[in-house]
Amino acid sequence: MKRLRRHGQESQRERIKQELFQFNKAMEHGFPHQPSALGYSASLQLLAIGTRSGAIKLYGAPGVEFMGLHEENAAVTQVHFLPHQAGLVTLLDDNSLHMWTLRAHKGQSELLEIGRFTLTGPPGASPSVTSVTAVLPHSSGELLLLGTEGGHVFIVEVPGFRELEERNISLDQVANSVPEDYIGRRNLEHVEALQENPVNPDQIVIGYGRGLMVIWDLEKLCATQHIPATQQLESVWWTDDGKYILSSHSDGSYCRWMVGGEDGNEEEEEEEKSDIPYGHFPCKAISKIVQLPTKEGPPFLLFSGGMPRASYGDRHCITVIHSKTHVALDFTSRIIDFFVIKDGPRSAGEPSALVVLVEEELVIIDLQTEGWPVIQTPYLVPLHSSAITCSHHVSAIPLKLWERVIAAGDLQNTHYSKKPWPITGGQNLASDPPQRDLLLTGHEDGTVRFWDASGVCLYPMYKLSTSAVFHTDTDPNDNMNQSTEGEWPPFRKVGCFDPYSDDPRLGIQKIHLCKYSGYLTVAGTAGQILVLELNDEAAEHTIEAKVVDLLQGQEGFRWKGHTRLDVREDPVLFPPGFQPLALVQCQPPAVVTALTLHSEWKLVAFGTSHGFAVYDYQQKNNILIKCTLNPSDQLAMEGPLSRVKSIKKSLRQSFRRIRRSRVSLRKHHVNNAAKLQDANARLEAELAEMELAPVQRKIEARSSDDSFTGLVRTLYFADTFLSDSSHNTPSLWAGTNGGCVFAYMLRLPSVEHRADEPITAQPAKEIQLMHRAPIVGIVVLDGHGAPLPEPLEVAHDLARSPDMHGSHHLLVISEEQFKVFTLPKVSAKMKLKLTAVDGSRVRRAGVAWFGSNRTEDYGESGLMVLTNQGDVHVVSLPGVKLQVHYNCIRREDVSGIASCVFTKHGQGFYLISPSEFERFSLSTRNLVEPHCLVEAPQYSAPSTQHRPHANKASSAQRNARHESEDAESAARRVMEHALLNDEKVLQEIQKSLEADQMLFSENNVKSALA
Amino acid sequence: MLVCYADVHGDLLPINNDDNYHKAISTASPLLRLFLQRKEEADYTTFGTDSLTRKKNTVLSAVLLRPDTNRKKPPVIISLPKDFRPVSSIIDVDILPETHRRVRLYKHGQEKPLGFYIRDGSSVRVTPQGLEKVPGIFISRMVPGGLAESTGLLAVNDEVLEVNGIEVAGKSLDQVTDMMIANSHNLIITVKPANQRNNVVRSRGGAASGSSGRSSDSGASYYGYTSHSASGAAAPVPSHIIQNFPAGDLESDEDDEDLVIEAGGEAEPIRRAPSNYSMPSVPLYQPHLDLRTTSTLSVNANGTLPASGSSGSLNNALAASTTPSPDRAMQRRNLEEDGTVITL
């Protein structure tokens, strides 16, 4: 009987777990790592980015996002949308072609791969014959022209990928008709470019690597014109009116050629214009050229590259020339590709925006506003414009703070264009986010960026710079952004990616924001702690630094690390936004490892590897300083070696060295061969030696003499029962790397005397955990077993006041186990061992609230845990039992694991690359992911009927086309069948998702009221 | 109070735990001669006068090893259990394959480092598909003077199979390292020794294993003991090895002895809040309370103990002693006779 009942309880618990927890990797925020290809569909208004890791990402209007991943782990080299269809073709560097389509399902689109294809040449042919170098989707939407390394052009029917062998354009066919006097006729080389005549879809131009361009008639199957350029070809552009062809070349020149008459008269085509824009000295190649007409006035000419090799060969530039305006847009990273968006219903109007994909960001330039300002991107933001050093998430921001932060941010963005975002494809179907969430990222250059993390788009809101408080060794003459008058080429710096920090000591290490009071505290690499207050007006402050000596007379100490930052003594004008209120500097200036703020008590607590302290930012004095240093800990005693001073200089020097070595490399090429061999042999010997000595791990119990046992890992303010069970008092809890917990009782004066009466802190308890593992978190649970609310949460009626009657419990989370102690008498009550059982260690832990997706009013607090194995667990509170666990991050991805932050509602973020956050959710109720619909464009004129020479088509071709339709419809049938089978499942998923959202929004209101 | 008895050889031996109590009962023929002494008057030198070379005393000591903080220095300290404490033992010999060895290392405080290193390697396994090379974890180095080396039970190139009852197969070197460190206060590792020469060849039911100068099983392993009496037969239960490590048993008291320093007060080790043993009213069995608890558990598991069993430890022991059949007692005897390796 008893067993039966227990069984029933267990299955009941299992059901509740299913209603509460669910793991989803919902989406990615930020800029794709290592982009390698760009595509754009004017008819769909969608942008596509392919990456080196084989991902393909589509973006339209804000909130419209799709992602696909190629099975092959190969880089995407080209992305082409098919005209008039919701589909695209990708080329990978393993020479495979992939067909993707956007299919609507239950009112929502999804990106699916529907076909793959690799060109097969004749048996025995070298692989270069079929190695694809150029792809042209024909405007009919039915053909794909593939130019290859061997110089052939293969014609393939889409979407079925059927080769039309009889229409292929072989190199021999072309070479035979090349004029005798063309110097490169013996070897035309690979197909570099393929372009279609914008006014005659039967004509294409084939550009060969050697320079020759051939206009080919697809119907007559013959060349109609030869353009004998003699420089190595880089790109070809056919102007909109079909009259001219522009070619760009490897010597930095471009040429404009007149296209001959319709009938293909072999009249002497003239090279109308040839120019090396940055001439005189040798220039680098112009990799792409585009010319676009305007209704009135001169056309826009845009090209990438072409810079003078010696002086500006390392710049990444796109030159835009319009009338008298000539600007060389200077990007901070390599240009991948660019395109221009045109106005008007059929994208036939004026050029309106230039979209440039560079290695580290997407930059959009408004070409219709004076000065060509940049348009702020609503997505694809470069999170890593300075490297991310830490992150902090705050859920459910009160509207007032939200609006003030936005207002402060708007004032920073005045240099952006006022134009709306020009890429508007698809519809965002996601309902408005249920709450306002902020993600704060700390950066190496001392900035803190505020991101709107409520919905699908991680939108930049505000940027706080802490460097104004300090003197940094920035050399004003060294500023890369400065442009001198009359400089040629006329550079203009664009983009915000700037990974070079002037002073690594400025790096932000810890952030804590109180969402109710608007107080923010940030701490950095050189032991600096700033308390900031939100001010809507600009104000001048003189910042006085308070130095806190954490050593407290500890002897035998030698700090070998960096020095403290120099604080500016003169008043500094701070713009509206967060302005510094107080500055504390730790001595020794070691990196701050723990930080917390209590806005109600107006206290900030911080810790380093040497100790911790509490600072009263109202009275501006120290309340408590505790040294946790172990005198036998040599590493902590000395600190890291100083690399600070030289880092910037050495970086610059190494760049120069690279540049120099490029020049000298050619000269010494031959001499070096022998040396190289020598070095290789030595390296091999070294490697062999390394293999002989395998990696060993020492098995030793943790001891108090281990390194950095005094490092403060966590700090926590709590109003709880520290000394006796009848009176609760404010307290501070600190946990160290050596498994030690210190508890201090704080005595705060009454509110009216808060400004003048001193605050005192008395040591109350010290717990040394037997297993000595580092302490990663401390939480006090109230009489109901619920975590204590945040400061001011109760005061703002946003949380139930904690149960102060029942006995409180202390939850200590170490790397190895979770342990619950009773309070005020600290005795162990429960524990959960993790490391001893499965060998994983706790890296991150955070309290979250999980709502049930079935019953609106049911929810539980739980502990979200991330281990060093990359697994996420949910541990119940207060029972400390493992509930669910999922594999989230690869265990090798150390930086991903280190970057993880949890939200208070069961979601999390971690970096999957320096520039991208993955967003995941453990909650059934709280899930943010894109819901969007893209409809295929209305294309009223099916291409087959409107082709000018359709009647001339041979019966063989007609047959071929017929067959191709058959193949296509067969493919469609297969797809539909596959999808229909899944329809039930999809329906259910859809239903539950909709229910989720409704439940969530309602529940949020309730919990806010509760 | 000290309880002693005279065995068949006429040696005076102490009764202070289950095992020697059972032995006293089972070997009594026909009378059991008991000697009661007051503790402070006890003459320790009289123990085992004729049998100093025998291993029995070692058995006794192995069973009783419990660190006792406030021990007095008796005049002669040979073989008195509480003066020894184990640093290592081989356990579960009866349920493990002969090629494996389960070693328990006792880490007391910080005195001696555990002192060994592990590495990745590969070993050959027999699978349905034939011989297969699989990754494994091996002991790579011993620190001279460390605990691991001084026991002589672990050696370089021994393959580590389990850590505290959990298989290491499929776990990374770092995971196994962390598991061992997390269990370092009571580390139980199952190894496949590289050198198989020292394996104990166990004879079933024979009493041959008594003379153990070699490393072999110990009756002290109450896990093994438990499993034996629970299964009721000599058949080993290798598939349920973990059941030999009930969570409660593994939680050594030490593990919970976090140190709490109250403001201005003295340090006190934390005991589990709901204490799972009660102080008996008679101080008779004080030195081996923990053992008593275990024994009670094992009997309960056996289901032989009547539900009315009182908490009095002597009652339990008597009840238990009356139930076992003679051959079961025989088995236990064998177990008891297997010597324990104690390295001092």
Side-chain angles (χ1 to χ4, degrees):
Chain A
M1 192 61 198
K2 206 172 187 180
R3 185 177 295 170
L4 266 178
R5 199 185 306 143
R6 192 180 306 143
H7 181 73
Q9 279 166 356
E10 267 164 29
S11 65
Q12 164 114 358
R13 185 60 206 162
E14 282 305 312
R15 219 190 61 231
I16 292 174
K17 277 195 216 171
Q18 279 175 16
E19 290 167 16
L20 293 173
F21 313 117
Q22 175 189 48
F23 182 68
N24 269 300
K25 274 193 184 175
M27 60 171 310
E28 291 163 10
H29 294 298
F31 184 78
H33 188 50
Q34 296 184 317
S36 52
L38 175 70
Y40 178 68
S41 166
S43 54
L44 293 173
Q45 294 258 18
L46 286 180
L47 169 93
I49 294 176
T51 72
R52 286 237 281 265
S53 52
I56 171 96
K57 294 183 158 202
L58 269 58
Y59 297 89
V64 177
E65 300 186 1
F66 301 96
M67 191 191 145
L69 193 66
H70 292 92
E71 263 171 44
E72 297 84 355
N73 193 18
V76 179
T77 54
Q78 295 189 37
V79 177
H80 299 274
F81 279 93
L82 295 176
H84 325 300
Q85 296 167 37
L88 65 157
V89 171
T90 54
L91 172 68
L92 306 190
D93 69 355
D94 66 353
N95 205 37
S96 61
L97 285 152
H98 300 256
M99 176 73 66
W100 296 82
T101 192
L102 285 166
R103 296 230 180 218
H105 245 286
K106 295 281 142 204
Q108 200 173 320
S109 295
E110 48 194 5
L111 183 64
L112 293 169
E113 187 183 350
I114 56 165
R116 60 186 65 187
F117 171 71
T118 307
L119 263 185
T120 47
S126 81
S128 74
V129 171
T130 54
S131 165
V132 179
T133 51
V135 178
L136 171 67
H138 193 256
S139 62
S140 64
E142 294 172 356
L143 298 178
L144 209 58
L145 284 79
L146 307 171
T148 66
E149 183 92 45
H152 306 283
V153 176
F154 292 85
I155 300 184
V156 172
E157 222 171 44
V158 282
F161 281 128
R162 203 171 65 90
E163 288 181 67
L164 303 177
E165 273 175 43
E166 69 283 356
R167 297 179 69 181
N168 288 351
I169 307 160
S170 76
L171 185 63
D172 305 333
Q173 277 173 283
V174 174
N176 288 337
S177 62
V178 173
E180 292 289 329
D181 54 341
Y182 184 67
I183 49 160
R185 68 182 296 245
R186 297 224 172 270
N187 182 11
L188 295 177
E189 294 188 3
H190 63 279
V191 178
E192 178 64 52
L194 285 168
Q195 286 284 320
E196 184 180 322
N197 185 342
V199 294
N200 180 359
D202 283 341
Q203 277 192 344
I204 58 156
V205 59
I206 308 165
Y208 293 95
R210 192 68 189 81
L212 183 77
M213 285 162 275
V214 175
I215 298 177
W216 185 266
D217 193 298
L218 289 173
E219 287 299 321
K220 295 181 199 153
L221 302 172
C222 66
T224 60
Q225 190 180 345
H226 294 86
I227 302 172
T230 51
Q231 278 295 334
Q232 203 70 20
L233 191 71
E234 289 285 326
S235 81
V236 173
W237 178 258
W238 208 321
T239 57
D240 278 9
D241 53 9
K243 287 182 187 155
Y244 297 98
I245 286 174
L246 274 78
S247 62
S248 71
H249 301 277
S250 63
D251 64 343
S253 68
Y254 71 90
C255 308
R256 188 163 67 167
W257 315 82
M258 172 94 100
V259 177
E262 274 276 311
D263 308 322
N265 293 342
E266 287 288 322
E267 72 183 42
E268 198 55 38
E269 64 290 325
E270 51 194 304
E271 184 183 310
E272 222 179 52
K273 191 189 168 195
S274 173
D275 190 15
I276 303 182
Y278 297 111
H280 299 309
F281 297 109
C283 290
K284 294 193 85 174
I286 292 179
S287 53
K288 181 173 178 178
I289 188 158
V290 170
Q291 184 183 312
L292 293 163
T294 54
K295 279 208 186 72
E296 301 149 17
F300 273 94
L301 180 70
L302 307 98
F303 59 86
S304 59
M307 286 291 136
R309 185 177 292 276
S311 35
Y312 300 109
D314 56 343
R315 299 284 181 105
H316 312 286
C317 290
I318 288 181
T319 303
V320 185
I321 303 168
H322 178 240
S323 182
K324 291 235 156 47
T325 322
H326 180 140
V327 172
L329 301 166
D330 186 4
F331 296 90
T332 53
S333 56
R334 194 170 60 87
I335 292 159
I336 308 292
D337 201 355
F338 69 94
F339 64 84
V340 176
I341 297 174
K342 288 185 282 185
D343 268 348
R346 279 174 176 268
S347 300
E350 305 276 299
S352 64
L354 164 66
V355 180
V356 186
L357 177 68
V358 292
E359 186 115 32
E360 305 290 354
E361 61 187 316
L362 185 80
V363 180
I364 304 221
I365 287 151
D366 175 6
L367 293 176
Q368 289 182 332
T369 305
E370 191 69 25
W372 296 338
V374 172
I375 302 175
Q376 165 104 58
T377 50
Y379 44 70
L380 285 168
V381 277
L383 295 168
H384 61 318
S385 49
S386 169
I388 294 178
T389 44
C390 66
S391 2
H392 176 69
H393 186 274
V394 192
S395 303
I397 305 285
L399 183 62
K400 193 158 180 221
L401 177 70
W402 189 258
E403 284 171 342
R404 289 175 71 194
V405 172
I406 286 180
D410 284 346
L411 292 171
Q412 295 179 327
N413 293 338
T414 47
H415 60 286
Y416 283 115
S417 167
K418 302 277 180 291
K419 285 259 168 127
W421 181 244
I423 300 169
T424 55
Q427 287 170 264
N428 180 6
L429 305 175
S431 50
D432 282 342
Q435 60 187 32
R436 291 168 294 272
D437 286 358
L438 255 183
L439 181 68
L440 282 73
T441 53
H443 299 262
E444 203 185 17
D445 62 354
T447 57
V448 178
R449 281 155 217 257
F450 289 58
W451 309 92
D452 174 358
S454 328
V456 172
C457 290
L458 192 70
Y459 191 79
M461 289 172 73
Y462 168 74
K463 180 175 121 180
L464 163 71
S465 177
T466 61
S467 58
V469 179
F470 306 102
H471 286 292
T472 55
D473 56 355
T474 6
D475 188 354
N477 300 326
D478 224 24
N479 201 333
M480 297 215 296
N481 295 327
Q482 270 189 344
S483 65
T484 44
E485 287 293 312
E487 190 188 21
W488 184 260
F491 288 119
R492 193 189 121 195
K493 252 328 195 214
V494 281
C496 54
F497 178 70
D498 176 19
Y500 306 114
S501 168
D502 291 319
D503 191 340
R505 291 179 298 169
L506 290 170
I508 304 294
Q509 297 293 336
K510 294 283 163 195
I511 304 170
H512 192 122
L513 171 72
C514 171
K515 61 184 175 184
Y516 302 108
S517 62
Y519 281 104
L520 170 72
T521 175
V522 297
T525 307
Q528 74 273 30
I529 296 102
L530 273 167
V531 182
L532 304 108
E533 189 181 16
L534 190 54
N535 187 348
D536 300 327
E537 307 289 330
E540 208 172 50
H541 300 282
T542 311
I543 304 302
E544 267 178 61
K546 183 94 180 175
V547 176
V548 172
D549 178 20
L550 288 171
L551 292 175
Q552 295 291 291
Q554 175 76 251
E555 290 197 3
F557 184 87
R558 205 154 49 102
W559 172 255
K560 287 187 191 163
H562 47 234
T563 55
R564 274 207 309 269
L565 283 161
D566 289 332
V567 183
R568 281 177 189 242
E569 278 142 18
D570 43 326
V572 183
L573 182 70
F574 292 95
F578 285 94
Q579 296 173 352
L581 184 75
L583 170 65
V584 182
Q585 291 186 289
C586 297
Q587 182 61 35
V591 50
V592 176
T593 53
L595 179 72
T596 190
L597 173 86
H598 201 294
S599 45
E600 204 171 339
W601 304 339
K602 299 201 184 311
L603 298 176
V604 61
F606 49 89
T608 71
S609 50
H610 306 113
F612 60 91
V614 178
Y615 180 77
D616 172 3
Y617 61 81
Q618 182 165 19
Q619 293 183 28
K620 306 216 167 165
N621 59 9
N622 297 317
I623 288 166
L624 158 71
I625 302 171
K626 165 80 181 170
C627 179
T628 53
L629 196 63
N630 179 357
S632 58
D633 181 353
Q634 279 305 310
L635 275 173
M637 293 292 275
E638 292 181 353
L641 288 174
S642 173
R643 293 182 304 144
V644 174
K645 276 181 214 156
S646 58
I647 202 155
K648 190 182 172 193
K649 274 178 197 157
S650 68
L651 210 69
R652 205 158 291 146
Q653 272 167 359
S654 57
F655 275 124
R656 286 200 190 114
R657 214 172 297 131
I658 289 167
R659 216 176 293 160
R660 232 177 282 133
S661 65
R662 266 196 210 133
V663 181
S664 59
L665 210 63
R666 289 201 185 135
K667 283 185 204 160
H668 304 290
H669 196 69
V670 189
N671 300 355
N672 280 344
K675 271 188 195 167
L676 201 70
Q677 263 180 349
D678 213 43
N680 274 343
R682 237 180 301 140
L683 193 72
E684 253 169 62
E686 271 171 36
L687 278 174
E689 212 167 281
M690 269 162 65
E691 272 163 36
L692 285 176
V695 184
Q696 291 190 102
R697 291 281 181 275
K698 190 177 187 183
I699 307 299
E700 209 46 78
R702 296 171 195 274
S703 99
S704 55
D705 294 339
D706 286 350
S707 287
F708 292 110
T709 48
L711 188 144
V712 179
R713 288 287 293 262
T714 186
L715 289 161
Y716 179 72
F717 282 116
D719 188 1
T720 188
F721 303 94
L722 194 54
S723 54
D724 65 286
S725 48
S726 48
H727 299 96
N728 54 306
T729 55
S731 62
L732 173 79
W733 299 78
T736 71
N737 225 21
C740 195
V741 177
F742 299 94
Y744 282 80
M745 205 194 311
L746 304 172
R747 201 150 284 144
L748 292 158
S750 58
V751 183
E752 51 266 31
H753 298 293
R754 175 64 181 82
D756 36 69
E757 272 182 31
I759 300 175
T760 58
Q762 285 170 346
K765 283 187 168 51
E766 197 180 318
I767 308 166
Q768 174 62 60
L769 295 184
M770 190 63 186
H771 64 282
R772 293 187 181 276
I775 288 165
V776 294
I778 296 171
V779 180
V780 171
L781 307 169
D782 73 5
H784 295 298
L788 292 185
E790 285 172 56
L792 291 175
E793 207 166 29
V794 177
H796 283 69
D797 282 340
L798 286 162
R800 192 171 46 83
S801 43
D803 180 7
M804 298 310 263
H805 301 296
S807 58
H808 282 195
H809 287 105
L810 173 72
L811 169 62
V812 176
I813 306 151
S814 79
E815 277 192 1
E816 292 185 353
Q817 49 181 265
F818 308 85
K819 208 157 183 178
V820 177
F821 297 92
T822 57
L823 282 176
K825 182 168 165 45
V826 178
S827 55
K829 196 181 173 201
M830 274 174 289
K831 74 174 158 194
L832 172 67
K833 285 186 178 184
L834 192 70
T835 315
V837 175
D838 71 356
S840 58
R841 280 192 281 175
V842 178
R843 277 280 171 271
R844 286 272 183 283
V847 171
W849 191 82
F850 294 92
S852 164
N853 64 350
R854 257 172 57 92
T855 2
E856 278 172 52
D857 48 0
Y858 185 75
E860 288 179 10
S861 280
L863 197 65
M864 294 170 87
V865 176
L866 175 75
T867 69
N868 66 339
Q869 302 296 313
D871 294 335
V872 283
H873 298 260
V874 177
V875 174
S876 66
L877 290 177
V880 285
K881 296 267 183 311
L882 282 178
Q883 300 296 299
V884 284
H885 75 100
Y886 308 94
N887 189 265
C888 182
I889 311 177
R890 281 181 309 116
R891 73 158 78 130
E892 297 82 16
D893 185 4
V894 178
S895 57
I897 292 170
S899 65
C900 183
V901 280
F902 292 124
T903 80
K904 292 261 185 295
H905 291 85
Q907 296 191 55
F909 297 83
Y910 67 91
L911 289 171
I912 47 174
S913 72
S915 55
E916 283 168 292
F917 273 116
E918 174 84 52
R919 187 184 192 121
F920 62 91
S921 172
L922 284 168
S923 159
T924 50
R925 220 191 263 180
N926 210 336
L927 177 64
V928 173
E929 60 183 351
H931 294 276
C932 38
L933 178 65
V934 172
E935 272 157 5
Q938 300 287 314
Y939 187 62
S940 51
S943 51
T944 42
Q945 285 158 23
H946 280 246
R947 291 173 65 118
H949 303 289
N951 47 353
K952 283 189 196 167
S954 68
S955 63
Q957 275 178 329
R958 207 169 289 152
N959 276 349
R961 196 167 300 141
H962 187 69
E963 276 171 38
S964 81
E965 272 162 17
D966 270 358
E968 195 182 326
S969 60
R972 248 179 226 153
R973 271 199 303 275
V974 170
M975 275 311 302
E976 270 162 17
H977 180 73
L979 291 167
L980 271 171
N981 277 352
D982 278 340
E983 197 136 286
K984 268 189 189 165
V985 182
L986 286 167
Q987 237 169 332
E988 276 177 29
I989 292 169
Q990 178 66 23
K991 219 184 273 172
S992 67
L993 283 174
E994 279 162 9
D996 266 6
Q997 277 167 357
M998 275 165 51
L999 278 181
F1000 184 79
S1001 52
E1002 282 173 22
N1003 181 73
N1004 202 53
V1005 175
K1006 281 203 174 164
S1007 66
L1009 291 172
Chain B
M1 195 75 90
L2 206 62
V3 185
C4 305
Y5 75 101
D7 75 348
V8 282
H9 309 289
D11 294 345
L12 183 64
L13 294 171
I15 299 180
N16 46 14
N17 63 35
D18 285 355
D19 295 297
N20 53 21
Y21 171 68
H22 286 311
K23 190 168 169 74
I25 299 239
S26 57
T27 56
S29 56
L31 274 174
L32 180 63
R33 285 195 291 165
L34 281 178
F35 299 84
L36 299 179
Q37 287 174 285
R38 280 169 67 176
K39 200 162 189 172
E40 49 273 24
E41 294 170 0
D43 180 7
Y44 294 94
T45 49
T46 56
F47 284 138
T49 38
D50 298 330
S51 55
L52 278 173
T53 48
R54 293 165 61 102
K55 290 289 166 198
K56 263 181 202 151
N57 291 328
T58 332
V59 175
L60 296 173
S61 58
V63 180
L64 287 180
L65 296 174
R66 286 284 131 192
D68 199 352
T69 42
N70 51 358
R71 76 181 106 124
K72 287 177 218 149
K73 287 250 178 201
V76 178
I77 45 168
I78 296 171
S79 87
L80 197 72
K82 60 188 176 183
D83 300 327
F84 292 85
R85 69 177 185 208
V87 288
S88 65
S89 53
I90 297 190
I91 57 174
D92 295 341
V93 177
D94 46 343
I95 55 163
L96 284 176
E98 282 167 14
T99 52
H100 295 180
R101 182 186 295 163
R102 185 168 289 165
V103 178
R104 184 171 182 176
L105 298 177
Y106 303 81
K107 175 118 179 77
H108 303 284
Q110 307 291 332
E111 297 155 28
K112 224 174 192 182
L114 285 168
F116 66 103
Y117 290 73
I118 57 171
R119 62 165 170 91
D120 276 319
S122 58
S123 69
V124 179
R125 291 273 159 78
V126 185
T127 65
Q129 289 80 38
L131 288 179
E132 217 173 82
K133 233 181 172 185
V134 291
I137 303 287
F138 294 84
I139 293 175
S140 63
R141 192 153 86 83
M142 295 293 207
V143 177
L147 184 59
E149 190 208 45
S150 65
T151 63
L153 300 179
L154 298 171
V156 171
N157 291 333
D158 285 2
E159 184 182 1
V160 178
L161 303 172
E162 289 175 12
V163 175
N164 286 56
I166 293 153
E167 280 192 45
V168 303
K171 291 197 159 60
S172 69
L173 182 65
D174 287 336
Q175 262 176 297
V176 177
T177 307
D178 288 341
M179 283 168 71
M180 288 188 175
I181 290 172
N183 288 304
S184 56
H185 290 283
N186 177 28
L187 184 60
I188 300 167
I189 39 182
T190 310
V191 293
K192 189 178 165 197
N195 181 355
Q196 292 279 342
R197 271 180 310 154
N198 288 337
N199 276 337
V200 184
V201 183
R202 290 193 300 275
S203 46
R204 305 239 152 198
S209 51
S211 59
S212 61
R214 302 169 296 180
S215 48
S216 76
D217 181 22
S218 72
S221 157
Y222 34 83
Y223 304 125
Y225 181 90
T226 306
S227 103
H228 248 261
S229 49
S231 57
V237 276
S239 57
H240 290 52
I241 290 168
I242 295 168
Q243 85 178 20
N244 290 319
F245 297 95
D249 280 5
L250 268 186
E251 312 270 317
S252 66
D253 293 335
E254 239 179 353
D255 191 52
D256 262 336
E257 282 177 9
D258 301 330
L259 207 66
V260 176
I261 303 165
E262 296 282 342
E266 268 180 41
E268 54 168 284
I270 302 178
R271 292 274 162 206
R272 290 184 141 247
S275 176
N276 54 6
Y277 59 85
S278 53
M279 292 297 277
S281 48
V282 219
L284 189 66
Y285 289 96
Q286 203 159 8
H288 47 270
L289 279 168
D290 288 337
L291 281 175
R292 178 59 55 215
T293 325
T294 326
S295 153
T296 314
L297 274 175
S298 76
V299 171
N300 276 334
N302 214 356
T304 49
L305 190 72
S308 63
S310 79
S311 60
S313 43
L314 193 61
N315 276 354
N316 276 351
L318 279 171
S321 69
T322 51
T323 18
S325 60
D327 54 354
R328 200 173 288 169
M330 187 65 181
Q331 276 168 25
R332 187 170 299 131
R333 202 184 125 91
N334 288 343
L335 270 172
E336 284 169 357
E337 294 266 335
D338 288 342
T340 310
V341 173
I342 298 173
T343 316
L344 294 172

